Amino acid sequence: MIAARHDASVVQAGRLLADHAGRRRVSLVEAALALVQRTMEPSRILGASATARPGRP
C-alpha cells in the first residue's frame, strides 16, 4: 500500500511505517492494522518521507 503510492521499495515502505509508528508511539502492528482497516490514510505515512534523509533507503 505504502510502496505503491510512494513508488518505493517494500523495504523503504517498511521503514517509513516503522518511523511513523515510533513517532506516534504506537506498535508497528497497530500502525499497519490502521492502514489495512483504512482508519488511517497512507498520506499520514507518506508525509514522513519529506523529513527522511536523502539517500536513505
Side-chain angles (χ1 to χ4, degrees), residues 4-37:
R5 286 195 176 198
H6 190 55
D7 193 30
S9 72
V10 173
V11 171
Q12 289 169 321
R15 287 184 181 146
L16 286 170
L17 183 60
D19 289 349
H20 175 81
R23 280 191 311 280
R24 300 293 184 253
R25 296 190 174 151
V26 298
S27 74
L28 184 55
V29 171
E30 286 178 276
L33 189 59
L35 283 174
V36 171
Q37 292 179 335

Side-chain angles (χ1 to χ4, degrees), residues 40-53:
M40 177 174 60
E41 288 293 320
S43 60
R44 290 188 65 190
I45 304 295
L46 300 179
S49 66
T51 60
R53 289 172 281 177

